[in-house]
Amino acid sequence: MHELIKNFIDGEWVGAAKTTKNINPATGESLGDVVVSGREEAERAIAAAKRALPEWRRTPAPRRGELLARAAVEMQKRKEELARALTLEEGKTLGESLGEVQKAINNLEFQSGEGRRLNGEQIPSELPSTLCWTQREPLGVVSLITPWNFPVAIPIWKLAPALVCGNTVVLKPASITPWTAKIIAEIFVAAGIPKGVLNVVFGPGSSVGQVLVEHPDIKAVSFTGSNEIGTRLYADGAARMKKVQCEMGGKNPIIVLEDADLELAATGAAQGAFGSTGQRCTATSRAIVHSSVAQEFTRLVVEKARALKVGDGVQAGVNVGPCVDEGQFRTVMSYLEVGKKEAKLAVGGERVGDKGFFVAPTVFVGVKPDMRIAQEEIFGPVLSIIEVKDFEEALRVANDVKYGLTSSIYTKDVSRVFQFLEHIETGMTHVNSPTVGGEAQLPFGGMKATGVGAREMGRTAIEFYSEWKTVYVDYTGAKRTTNIY
Ligand code: NAP
């Protein structure tokens, strides 16, 4: 249980007129209350961030980086507690939550170093006695709008580069995962964040989120979430000349060729499809398998799906937690019905128990590339197996979706690996390993309908949160004779 979760605005914990319950998806029980804010609180947070901006952008970048390093230490101290809160409000298993918190710590550590590397370039001028260089500048007040499925890692992988670049921030976490966001704010307080530099507002996307996109004092918006919301938000931001970054859905394939190590491929497919209950943007949702090995691959994946224990993520031995809430549970259940009509069920396809939002790891076979279960993001523990006759068809099917986040190929054929790497239309890709995962020092994001704007994480993250100023210094000390055009 937690105390009433309040907004964090201008260094203070601030209430709102309304509250709602934070529900544990494994038990259906309330974990405590959280404020439901609206336009007023969002505007207060933006005003606080605007006031804090001049001082924060003047703070030397290495000092800003040190704050992130201190936050990494504070997060390490609260790792178990934060992971437990994550499991209780989002549902993933404790092991998965610990992994997510570690990923957030890695991002804080990596981006803290960017404070000492936030350099531009000295570039030669074509004029004599002229020195030219580029320097990075913060954008101003930025808003960060984040989803529920990685409620620790995603806010951190946005916050860390935003802060190190000298921006001040208003974070709007997903409404159904407020506890982890509150702990994140507390961690930054313990690390010594100046008041107003980080503000967190809890409330619906349709009110708080909308203000964070439309307000004239917001210079940039970084969004992770669904395509439906991201597409609208991108248009709204662009109409106001804001810099907008959107990371959205996926329909990630693994290709399994006839020479693949099938045990390895089936293990990777099961990890990718059922890990985190399939509620990962990088989840494996399509296995595109050479017909000569499809039967054996299916047997192995089904065996692995059956062996998984579904249950409350806080319990030892549980491999697959619940769907995050009733809405997501209903969406997944409706896709199971679609799948049963379109294709053939190999395992799963049903609810587990009658309490909480648990779904059995599910595999469909006989799936055709144009079926809904092969095209639409389900965001649940569901894998569709599509048989193909050769590598060329596998590649065509892999690319034949609107999304382009991540992918994988299982083969020992080096030539096909490189052809795959050249032609696959995803922002991240893997060879002989699952579609999931992402390291703090490497760019993260997708192509096509998955992503617009600079990649997150790694050094590329600072591209979004800073802009360039080009400087020319003429030190001739006299009237220039050279023609300037
Ligand atoms: P969502 O419904 O789009 O919500 C994402 C965030 O946007 C939430 O904070 C939400 O607030 C807010 N929001 C909703 N309506 C808004 C509006 N009109 N204006 C501004 N903000 C608004 O997504 P989700 O269900 O939380 O997350 C799942 C999706 O995220 C999946 O599609 C998944 O693939 C994607 N995802 C992508 C990546 C990636 O890096 N590509 C990573 C993780 C997840 P409320 O919570 O109050 O509704």
Side-chain angles (χ1 to χ4, degrees):
M1 285 289 285
H2 55 71
E3 292 171 356
L4 172 66
I5 296 174
K6 295 181 180 171
N7 299 307
F8 182 64
I9 301 175
D10 210 11
E12 307 281 334
W13 298 98
V14 181
K18 284 193 273 178
T19 61
T20 187
K21 304 265 176 235
N22 184 16
I23 300 296
N24 179 341
T27 62
E29 287 161 9
S30 171
L31 296 163
D33 292 344
V34 53
V35 295
V36 181
S37 312
R39 170 171 292 275
E40 189 193 325
E41 290 81 6
E43 286 178 349
R44 274 179 71 180
I46 294 168
K50 192 179 175 187
R51 280 194 302 277
L53 183 65
E55 188 69 32
W56 184 243
R57 64 176 290 159
R58 257 201 316 272
T59 304
R63 299 281 95 81
R64 299 194 299 249
E66 283 165 14
L67 183 123
L68 298 185
R70 290 198 298 277
V73 171
E74 294 299 327
M75 191 173 281
Q76 187 70 45
K77 285 187 207 158
R78 297 183 69 177
K79 189 173 178 183
E80 308 284 327
E81 176 200 351
L82 184 51
R84 194 173 167 79
L86 171 45
T87 293
L88 289 174
E89 72 178 1
E90 198 270 351
K92 63 183 67 174
T93 66
L94 261 182
E96 289 167 341
S97 293
L98 284 165
E100 179 175 341
V101 176
Q102 186 56 51
K103 188 169 179 166
I105 294 170
N106 297 348
N107 272 278
L108 286 166
E109 281 177 358
F110 180 80
Q111 297 296 342
S112 76
E114 288 305 298
R116 295 189 182 272
R117 285 188 292 265
L118 214 56
N119 48 298
E121 248 187 319
Q122 195 251 311
I123 300 169
S125 170
E126 57 193 42
L127 301 170
S129 304
T130 300
L131 194 58
C132 301
W133 70 86
T134 57
Q135 62 192 42
R136 285 188 187 276
E137 307 239 321
L139 304 174
V141 180
V142 302
S143 58
L144 311 180
I145 301 177
T146 54
W148 48 263
N149 69 326
F150 280 89
V152 177
I154 294 179
I156 291 293
W157 84 46
K158 293 180 190 297
L159 267 175
L163 294 175
V164 85
C165 286
N167 303 286
T168 55
V169 170
V170 182
L171 166 67
K172 194 214 93 58
S175 292
I176 54 177
T177 50
W179 193 0
T180 41
K182 174 190 174 249
I183 296 176
I184 288 172
E186 288 170 353
I187 283 169
F188 274 94
V189 171
I193 190 116
K195 69 175 197 165
V197 171
L198 164 64
N199 305 273
V200 185
V201 182
F202 300 98
S206 52
S207 56
V208 173
Q210 204 63 34
V211 176
L212 292 184
V213 176
E214 292 175 356
H215 197 286
D217 289 336
I218 294 291
K219 298 301 173 212
V221 184
S222 179
F223 167 86
T224 300
S226 62
N227 276 70
E228 187 200 343
I229 304 293
T231 309
R232 259 189 288 147
L233 189 148
Y234 187 54
D236 288 351
R240 292 166 177 80
M241 295 298 286
K242 292 176 200 291
K243 199 171 179 183
V244 182
Q245 172 186 54
C246 294
E247 281 300 335
M248 299 167 286
K251 192 70 190 170
N252 311 301
I254 69 163
I255 291 179
V256 183
L257 295 182
E258 63 272 40
D259 66 338
D261 176 334
L262 292 185
E263 177 59 35
L264 187 71
T267 303
Q271 276 173 2
F274 311 130
S276 296
T277 322
Q279 299 180 131
R280 282 196 276 220
C281 53
T282 54
T284 308
S285 65
R286 298 177 295 150
I288 301 165
V289 188
H290 192 279
S291 52
S292 65
V293 294
Q295 205 179 347
E296 178 60 5
F297 173 81
T298 303
R299 188 187 70 73
L300 289 167
V301 176
V302 166
E303 192 178 276
K304 291 178 195 311
R306 282 212 177 95
L308 294 172
K309 186 171 173 202
V310 179
D312 188 337
V314 291
Q315 284 169 12
V318 165
N319 308 108
V320 181
C323 296
V324 73
D325 68 359
E326 188 171 352
Q328 189 58 34
F329 171 73
R330 285 188 190 286
T331 301
V332 176
M333 292 304 287
S334 74
Y335 273 110
L336 296 186
E337 293 314 309
V338 171
K340 286 175 197 168
K341 287 197 190 98
E342 288 184 329
K344 191 165 169 278
L345 184 67
V347 69
E350 62 198 0
R351 179 177 196 173
V352 175
D354 53 9
K355 213 173 77 173
F357 306 121
F358 299 100
V359 174
T362 297
V363 178
F364 286 110
V365 292
V367 179
K368 300 293 171 214
D370 59 349
M371 290 178 176
R372 283 185 62 197
I373 56 167
Q375 290 288 330
E376 298 172 18
E377 186 183 47
I378 299 173
F379 230 52
V382 184
L383 180 70
S384 293
I385 298 183
I386 304 170
E387 285 189 38
V388 289
K389 63 178 185 313
D390 55 26
F391 169 66
E392 288 69 27
E393 187 185 358
L395 196 53
R396 231 179 9 256
V397 170
N399 284 335
D400 185 25
V401 289
K402 68 175 182 175
Y403 300 107
L405 185 56
T406 177
S407 55
S408 175
I409 189 167
Y410 283 80
T411 180
K412 299 186 190 90
D413 184 332
V414 174
S415 160
R416 279 167 169 176
V417 166
F418 281 92
Q419 288 175 50
F420 168 78
L421 296 178
E422 181 180 348
H423 295 293
I424 191 70
E425 296 166 356
T426 58
M428 299 172 290
T429 191
H430 300 254
V431 177
N432 293 322
S433 64
T435 56
V436 295
E439 297 184 28
Q441 68 282 11
L442 288 159
F444 185 96
M447 295 177 176
K448 303 196 315 198
T450 293
V452 283
R455 290 282 187 272
E456 304 205 79
M457 301 214 287
R459 297 212 68 196
T460 46
I462 60 173
E463 293 305 331
F464 180 74
Y465 294 102
S466 60
E467 58 187 336
W468 289 111
K469 185 175 277 175
T470 305
V471 182
Y472 294 78
V473 177
D474 174 352
Y475 58 93
T476 47
K479 190 163 172 262
R480 191 181 279 287
T481 51
T482 323
N483 188 21
I484 301 175
Y485 46 85

